[in-house]
Amino acid sequence: MKHKTTRRDFLRTTLYTGMAAGVVSPTLVSAQSQGANDKITCAVVGARGRGGSHIQGFLTNPHTVITYIVDPDEAVGKNRCEQIEKKQGSRPKFVRDMREAYADKDLDAVGSATPNHWHALSAIWAMQAGKDVYVEKPASQNIFEGAVMVAAAKKYGRLCQVGTQCRSNPAIRQGIAYVQSGAIGEVTFARGVCHRRRKAIGALGDYPVPENVDFNLWSGPAIFTQPRVTRPQFHYDWHWQRLYGNGDSGNQGPHQFDIARWGLGLMRHPNKVITYGGRLGYEVEKNDPQYLDAGDTPNTEVSIFDYGDKTIVFETRGLETKATDGANVGVVFYGTEGRLVQVHYGLCVAYDKDGKVVKEFKGGDDQNHYDNFVDAVLKRDAAILTAPILDGHLSAALAHLGNTSYYLGEKNKVSQEEIGKVLETIPSRDDNLKTLARTVEHLQKNGVDLSKTPLALGPQLEFDGAAEKFVNNAEADKWLTRQWREGFECPTAESV
């Protein structure tokens, strides 16, 4: 799409100013909706994994065209360009550095599917350059970044959608409406579960970066470890290293955290959090008590979030396991008259007090979410977004808060009995001891000897949601942000 100094540019500039002030003119929205015939030009940043979903989402929508593919891996990026050209009839430009794409005034929107450590900065830079953004979950790698993303969307009047696609799926939307209608009675407790088998990622070591990858750009804001990494598989396994990822509570978890908050009507941070867990079971797989894999995020993790009037519990299990109350990867809402289980992205099942199925809600896929984003961009209406950045920030923050408690207590290896004594003092709408017992039983069934590799217990942390800081805990506050590399610093909410 050639750049034109036309009504479209005028409308965009005017709308951005209005949105930054919190006002969108209905007249301008209507004028653009009726008069803009050009397709929305999109860049996909990060072409592997979820990047493929972004590509499919934009290719499927009739109002979008992909004009850029950005990836530090040249082989992957150029291969994607070839695939896209065959489907949309035009070839996107490949660049390694997202800033080159963002500098193009004709680029309208960005889909960011980078590793977690790049999510925030890729979105912030895009919004500063006047682009709308669909950014993958978790919205941020830490709470500081999330707050800056919220501020950037407000300041620049940009639409920022987070990839928690359940927000756009009919089955989940109907299920949440059912919960909020009072159909299962009063609901003050939700349990999120991520029971996903994750095997060890290989021995901690010194491994070369694939030669097609620009490791400087791949590392971005993270500490630069020179042209070597400590995990055997370069791609994807970064999820299990805290320098880049957030473990499964920050990978899969944001979906379930988001649904739990949504159903409970929580648009705020929790008051307190406590976590216990560990990276356990892989020494059994290798049949070597001394074996340590390259991951340093927990594969077993239970976090209790206290909101005062409500409770969320989240359970991560990376070893073989069975469902908890009907969910393997989902959310269970417990009401006084029954429960609702989010079984997967396209299914919710409601039960009465006796455990009898009374209603099922089905339908939906990823495309709903991309279409929702595109619709909002076309109409310049942030209210249309089903997963705006504030929701994404609050949901990702739960993963960060839970992980912070774990990391602070990582060396505090204690027995089940000792953990139980602490949990007895923790207010919760869950049966804390029963959940602990289930977790221990799960580990034992997987051959974990907790006398040799015990669970770690983190401290209960008090959080000031308004200030987005921990209460009187400087050590915990260190986990609110990260060390930024020169040239890739994240601005503050005030300076963004």
Side-chain angles (χ1 to χ4, degrees):
M1 182 175 68
K2 294 182 179 180
H3 183 61
K4 297 173 285 185
T5 307
T6 63
R7 182 182 64 186
R8 183 183 187 208
D9 294 302
F10 170 76
L11 287 172
R12 285 174 60 177
T13 302
T14 307
L15 284 166
Y16 298 170
T17 304
M19 289 176 67
V23 177
V24 180
S25 165
T27 302
L28 290 177
V29 170
S30 176
Q32 190 192 34
S33 299
Q34 296 173 12
N37 296 316
D38 292 328
K39 289 190 175 184
I40 297 167
T41 56
C42 304
V44 175
V45 182
R48 289 179 59 90
R50 288 300 298 172
S53 298
H54 283 235
I55 290 169
Q56 183 61 31
F58 291 137
L59 284 177
T60 302
N61 191 289
H63 301 291
T64 53
V65 58
I66 301 172
T67 56
Y68 281 92
I69 289 293
V70 183
D71 200 288
D73 188 324
E74 183 175 11
V76 169
K78 289 187 174 180
N79 182 54
R80 288 295 197 191
C81 289
E82 291 177 7
Q83 295 171 6
I84 293 166
E85 184 177 18
K86 291 177 182 178
K87 292 184 177 181
Q88 77 174 12
S90 60
R91 186 183 181 92
K93 182 178 181 180
F94 168 73
V95 296
R96 289 179 181 265
D97 192 329
M98 65 187 76
R99 288 168 291 192
E100 184 176 341
Y102 294 175
D104 187 341
K105 293 182 179 179
D106 291 330
L107 180 67
D108 299 316
V110 171
S112 176
T114 67
N116 294 9
H117 68 285
W118 256 117
H119 283 180
L121 200 57
S122 69
I124 293 165
W125 282 355
M127 288 187 281
Q128 288 178 320
K131 321 302 180 188
D132 297 312
V133 181
Y134 179 130
V135 61
E136 269 306 321
K137 53 75 201 167
S140 63
Q141 199 195 9
N142 56 68
I143 290 174
F144 173 86
E145 292 177 342
V148 178
M149 295 170 81
V150 172
K154 182 178 181 180
K155 177 176 179 178
Y156 297 103
R158 306 316 312 155
L159 298 160
C160 186
Q161 174 97 304
V162 179
T164 46
Q165 62 264 28
C166 290
R167 286 272 180 166
S168 296
N169 278 8
I172 313 301
R173 294 180 68 82
Q174 292 166 20
I176 294 298
Y178 188 76
V179 169
Q180 294 180 339
S181 74
I184 61 171
E186 183 182 10
V187 183
T188 58
F189 171 43
R191 185 192 314 278
V193 295
C194 174
H195 297 347
R196 299 191 69 175
R197 183 68 170 102
R198 303 289 191 183
K199 296 200 172 185
I201 65 173
L204 189 69
D206 186 16
Y207 304 95
V209 172
E211 58 183 43
N212 290 322
V213 175
D214 183 326
F215 191 50
N216 177 58
L217 289 176
W218 189 94
S219 298
I223 295 171
F224 191 54
T225 60
Q226 301 305 318
R228 307 196 71 78
V229 291
T230 59
R231 60 189 182 278
Q233 178 175 283
F234 180 79
H235 293 294
Y236 197 78
D237 283 351
W238 53 262
H239 275 294
W240 325 124
Q241 294 189 318
R242 65 187 73 169
L243 181 60
Y244 311 111
N246 303 89
D248 241 340
S249 73
N251 173 46
Q252 178 62 47
H255 289 296
Q256 277 60 60
F257 282 128
D258 196 59
I259 294 168
R261 277 197 321 99
W262 182 13
L264 293 176
L266 294 169
M267 284 299 294
R268 64 184 192 271
H269 293 296
N271 302 332
K272 297 178 181 179
V273 59
I274 186 170
T275 299
Y276 58 91
R279 193 165 182 85
L280 304 166
Y282 297 146
E283 67 279 0
V284 176
E285 290 179 350
K286 298 293 289 187
N287 195 27
D288 180 2
Q290 301 303 312
Y291 177 78
L292 294 175
D293 76 339
D296 60 4
T297 59
N299 70 338
T300 300
E301 188 173 9
V302 178
S303 296
I304 303 168
F305 301 92
D306 177 11
Y307 283 86
D309 57 339
K310 296 175 183 177
T311 302
I312 293 176
V313 170
F314 194 80
E315 302 179 41
T316 298
R317 295 183 184 178
L319 304 177
E320 295 292 344
T321 189
K322 61 181 181 180
T324 295
D325 289 343
N328 271 306
V329 178
V331 178
V332 184
F333 293 97
Y334 301 89
T336 55
E337 302 302 321
R339 74 180 193 274
L340 180 124
V341 182
Q342 181 250 327
V343 181
H344 55 67
Y345 292 148
L347 176 63
C348 287
V349 181
Y351 301 83
D352 63 17
K353 292 172 69 173
D354 298 321
K356 178 183 176 181
V357 174
V358 294
K359 204 168 186 65
E360 291 188 349
F361 305 95
K362 299 179 180 180
D365 56 31
D366 280 15
Q367 192 60 42
N368 297 90
H369 210 43
Y370 294 102
D371 291 348
N372 172 254
F373 171 66
V374 172
D375 188 35
V377 172
L378 284 171
K379 296 175 181 175
R380 304 308 313 152
D381 188 355
I384 292 174
L385 292 175
T386 57
I389 183 57
L390 178 58
D391 277 297
H393 170 47
L394 291 172
S395 296
L398 287 168
H400 306 327
L401 291 169
N403 281 342
T404 298
S405 175
Y406 171 77
Y407 291 142
L408 291 179
E410 192 171 19
K411 295 180 180 179
N412 182 31
K413 305 294 180 69
V414 295
S415 68
Q416 177 183 354
E417 291 71 27
E418 291 173 285
I419 295 176
K421 289 179 181 178
V422 173
L423 294 183
E424 284 182 314
T425 69
I426 302 298
S428 171
R429 285 158 185 79
D430 188 22
D431 185 331
N432 292 342
L433 297 185
K434 185 177 179 180
T435 296
L436 172 62
R438 281 193 297 101
T439 303
V440 168
E441 180 184 12
H442 151 68
L443 291 169
Q444 291 173 339
K445 285 183 176 179
N446 280 277
V448 177
D449 186 344
L450 290 173
S451 67
K452 294 180 179 178
T453 54
L455 289 162
L457 175 63
Q460 185 179 45
L461 303 173
E462 187 175 353
F463 193 66
D464 181 341
E468 294 193 313
K469 290 183 177 295
F470 292 97
V471 176
N472 300 322
N473 196 322
E475 285 302 307
D477 280 342
K478 292 178 182 178
W479 287 95
L480 293 172
T481 186
R482 65 178 300 142
Q483 180 180 338
W484 305 95
R485 196 155 66 96
E486 186 176 357
F488 300 93
E489 299 92 347
C490 182
T492 64
E494 294 75 26
S495 67
V496 68

